[in-house]
Coordinates of all heavy atoms in Angstrom, one line a residue:
G154 N 0.8 -1.2 0.0 CA 0.0 0.0 0.0 C 0.8 1.3 0.0 O 0.3 2.3 0.4
S155 N 2.0 1.2 -0.5 CA 2.9 2.4 -0.6 C 4.0 2.2 -1.6 O 4.3 1.1 -1.9 CB 3.4 2.8 0.8 OG 4.4 1.8 1.2
G156 N 4.5 3.3 -2.1 CA 5.7 3.2 -3.0 C 5.8 4.5 -3.8 O 4.8 5.4 -3.8
L157 N 6.9 4.7 -4.5 CA 7.1 5.8 -5.4 C 7.8 5.4 -6.6 O 8.9 4.7 -6.5 CB 8.0 6.9 -4.6 CG 8.5 8.1 -5.4 CD1 7.4 8.9 -6.0 CD2 9.4 8.9 -4.5
I158 N 7.3 5.8 -7.8 CA 8.0 5.5 -9.1 C 8.4 6.8 -9.6 O 7.6 7.8 -9.8 CB 7.0 4.8 -10.0 CG1 6.6 3.4 -9.4 CG2 7.6 4.6 -11.4 CD1 5.4 2.8 -10.2
I159 N 9.7 6.9 -10.0 CA 10.3 8.1 -10.6 C 10.9 7.8 -11.9 O 12.0 7.2 -12.0 CB 11.3 8.7 -9.6 CG1 10.7 9.0 -8.3 CG2 11.9 10.0 -10.2 CD1 11.7 9.6 -7.2
P160 N 10.2 8.1 -13.0 CA 10.9 7.9 -14.3 C 11.7 9.2 -14.7 O 11.2 10.3 -14.4 CB 9.7 7.8 -15.3 CG 8.6 8.5 -14.6 CD 8.8 8.4 -13.1
I161 N 12.9 9.0 -15.3 CA 13.7 10.1 -15.7 C 13.3 10.4 -17.2 O 13.7 9.7 -18.1 CB 15.2 9.9 -15.6 CG1 15.5 9.5 -14.1 CG2 15.9 11.1 -16.0 CD1 15.1 10.5 -13.1
S162 N 12.6 11.4 -17.4 CA 12.2 11.8 -18.7 C 13.1 12.9 -19.2 O 14.4 12.8 -19.1 CB 10.7 12.4 -18.7 OG 10.3 12.7 -20.0
S163 N 12.6 14.0 -19.7 CA 13.5 15.1 -20.3 C 12.6 16.2 -20.7 O 11.3 16.1 -20.8 CB 14.1 14.5 -21.6 OG 14.7 15.6 -22.3
Q164 N 13.2 17.4 -20.8 CA 12.4 18.5 -21.5 C 11.9 18.0 -22.8 O 10.8 18.5 -23.2 CB 13.3 19.7 -21.7 CG 13.8 20.4 -20.4 CD 14.6 21.6 -20.7 OE1 15.2 21.7 -21.8 NE2 14.7 22.5 -19.8
L165 N 12.6 17.2 -23.5 CA 12.2 16.7 -24.8 C 11.1 15.6 -24.7 O 10.7 15.1 -25.7 CB 13.4 16.2 -25.6 CG 14.5 17.2 -25.9 CD1 15.5 16.6 -26.8 CD2 13.9 18.5 -26.4
G166 N 10.6 15.4 -23.5 CA 9.4 14.6 -23.3 C 8.1 15.4 -23.5 O 7.0 14.9 -23.5
K167 N 8.3 16.7 -23.7 CA 7.1 17.6 -23.9 C 7.4 18.6 -25.0 O 6.4 19.1 -25.5 CB 6.8 18.4 -22.6 CG 6.1 17.6 -21.6 CD 4.6 17.3 -22.0 CE 3.8 16.5 -21.0 NZ 4.2 15.1 -21.0
V168 N 8.6 18.9 -25.4 CA 8.9 19.8 -26.5 C 9.8 19.0 -27.5 O 10.5 18.1 -27.1 CB 9.6 21.1 -26.0 CG1 8.6 21.9 -25.2 CG2 10.9 20.8 -25.3
I169 N 9.8 19.5 -28.7 CA 10.5 18.7 -29.8 C 11.6 19.6 -30.4 O 11.3 20.7 -30.9 CB 9.5 18.2 -30.8 CG1 8.5 17.3 -30.2 CG2 10.2 17.5 -32.0 CD1 7.3 17.0 -31.1
V170 N 12.8 19.0 -30.5 CA 13.9 19.6 -31.3 C 14.0 18.8 -32.5 O 14.2 17.6 -32.5 CB 15.2 19.6 -30.5 CG1 16.3 20.2 -31.3 CG2 15.0 20.5 -29.2
P171 N 13.9 19.4 -33.7 CA 14.1 18.7 -35.0 C 15.4 18.0 -35.0 O 16.4 18.4 -34.5 CB 14.0 19.8 -36.1 CG 13.3 20.9 -35.4 CD 13.6 20.9 -34.0
F172 N 15.4 16.8 -35.7 CA 16.6 16.0 -35.9 C 17.2 15.4 -34.6 O 18.3 15.0 -34.5 CB 17.7 16.8 -36.6 CG 17.2 17.5 -37.9 CD1 17.2 18.9 -38.0 CD2 16.7 16.8 -38.9 CE1 16.8 19.5 -39.1 CE2 16.2 17.4 -40.1 CZ 16.3 18.8 -40.2
S173 N 16.3 15.2 -33.6 CA 16.7 14.5 -32.4 C 16.3 13.1 -32.4 O 16.3 12.4 -31.4 CB 16.1 15.2 -31.2 OG 16.6 16.5 -31.0
G174 N 16.0 12.6 -33.6 CA 15.7 11.2 -33.8 C 14.5 10.7 -33.0 O 13.5 11.4 -32.9
Q175 N 14.6 9.5 -32.5 CA 13.4 8.9 -31.8 C 13.5 9.3 -30.3 O 12.7 8.7 -29.5 CB 13.4 7.4 -31.9 CG 13.3 6.9 -33.3 CD 11.9 7.0 -33.9 OE1 11.1 7.8 -33.4 NE2 11.6 6.3 -35.0
Y176 N 14.3 10.2 -29.9 CA 14.4 10.5 -28.5 C 13.2 11.1 -27.9 O 12.6 10.6 -26.9 CB 15.6 11.5 -28.2 CG 15.9 11.6 -26.8 CD1 16.6 10.6 -26.0 CD2 15.6 12.8 -26.1 CE1 16.9 10.8 -24.7 CE2 15.9 13.0 -24.7 CZ 16.6 11.9 -24.0 OH 16.9 12.1 -22.7
S177 N 12.7 12.2 -28.5 CA 11.4 12.8 -28.1 C 10.2 11.8 -28.2 O 9.5 11.7 -27.2 CB 11.1 14.0 -28.9 OG 11.7 15.2 -28.3
P178 N 10.1 11.0 -29.3 CA 9.0 10.1 -29.3 C 9.0 9.1 -28.1 O 8.0 8.8 -27.5 CB 9.2 9.4 -30.6 CG 9.8 10.4 -31.5 CD 10.7 11.2 -30.6
T179 N 10.2 8.6 -27.7 CA 10.3 7.7 -26.6 C 10.0 8.4 -25.3 O 9.3 7.8 -24.4 CB 11.6 7.0 -26.5 OG1 12.7 8.0 -26.3 CG2 11.9 6.2 -27.8
K180 N 10.4 9.6 -25.1 CA 10.2 10.3 -23.9 C 8.7 10.8 -23.8 O 8.1 10.8 -22.7 CB 11.1 11.5 -23.7 CG 12.6 11.1 -23.5 CD 12.8 10.3 -22.3 CE 14.3 10.0 -22.0 NZ 14.5 9.2 -20.8
F181 N 8.1 11.1 -24.9 CA 6.7 11.4 -24.9 C 5.9 10.2 -24.4 O 5.0 10.2 -23.6 CB 6.2 11.8 -26.3 CG 6.2 13.3 -26.6 CD1 7.4 14.0 -26.6 CD2 5.1 14.0 -26.9 CE1 7.5 15.3 -26.8 CE2 5.1 15.3 -27.2 CZ 6.3 16.0 -27.2
A182 N 6.3 9.0 -25.0 CA 5.6 7.7 -24.6 C 5.9 7.4 -23.1 O 4.9 7.0 -22.4 CB 6.1 6.6 -25.4
L183 N 7.1 7.7 -22.6 CA 7.4 7.4 -21.2 C 6.5 8.3 -20.3 O 6.0 7.8 -19.3 CB 8.9 7.7 -21.0 CG 9.4 7.5 -19.5 CD1 9.4 6.0 -19.2 CD2 10.8 8.1 -19.4
E184 N 6.4 9.6 -20.7 CA 5.5 10.5 -19.9 C 4.1 10.0 -19.9 O 3.4 10.0 -18.8 CB 5.7 11.9 -20.4 CG 7.1 12.5 -20.3 CD 7.1 13.8 -19.5 OE1 6.0 14.3 -19.1 OE2 8.2 14.3 -19.3
A185 N 3.6 9.7 -21.1 CA 2.2 9.3 -21.1 C 1.9 8.0 -20.3 O 0.9 7.9 -19.5 CB 1.8 9.0 -22.6
M186 N 2.8 7.1 -20.4 CA 2.7 5.8 -19.6 C 2.7 6.1 -18.1 O 1.9 5.5 -17.4 CB 3.8 4.9 -20.0 CG 3.8 3.5 -19.2 SD 5.1 2.4 -19.8 CE 6.6 3.2 -19.3
N187 N 3.6 6.9 -17.7 CA 3.7 7.2 -16.2 C 2.6 8.1 -15.7 O 2.2 8.0 -14.6 CB 5.1 7.8 -15.9 CG 6.1 6.7 -15.8 OD1 6.2 6.0 -14.8 ND2 6.8 6.4 -16.9
Q188 N 2.1 9.0 -16.6 CA 0.9 9.8 -16.1 C -0.3 8.9 -16.0 O -1.1 9.1 -15.0 CB 0.6 11.0 -17.1 CG -0.5 11.9 -16.6 CD -0.5 13.2 -17.2 OE1 0.5 13.7 -17.8 NE2 -1.6 14.0 -17.0

């Protein structure tokens, strides 16, 4: 009945820099999964 999960995302989990490959897509997915 207790615990804490801390995923390390990134600014690029919410904003996108062109030519950053699949980094932002994976961090967007990580954020959605954890929310």
Side-chain angles (χ1 to χ4, degrees):
S155 66
L157 171 61
I158 296 169
I159 302 176
I161 306 301
S162 181
S163 167
Q164 290 181 340
L165 299 188
K167 280 291 181 286
V168 295
I169 298 168
V170 176
F172 309 117
S173 294
Q175 299 286 18
Y176 190 73
S177 275
T179 61
K180 293 300 186 179
F181 269 62
L183 180 70
E184 293 235 0
M186 178 174 70
N187 280 276
Q188 185 158 347

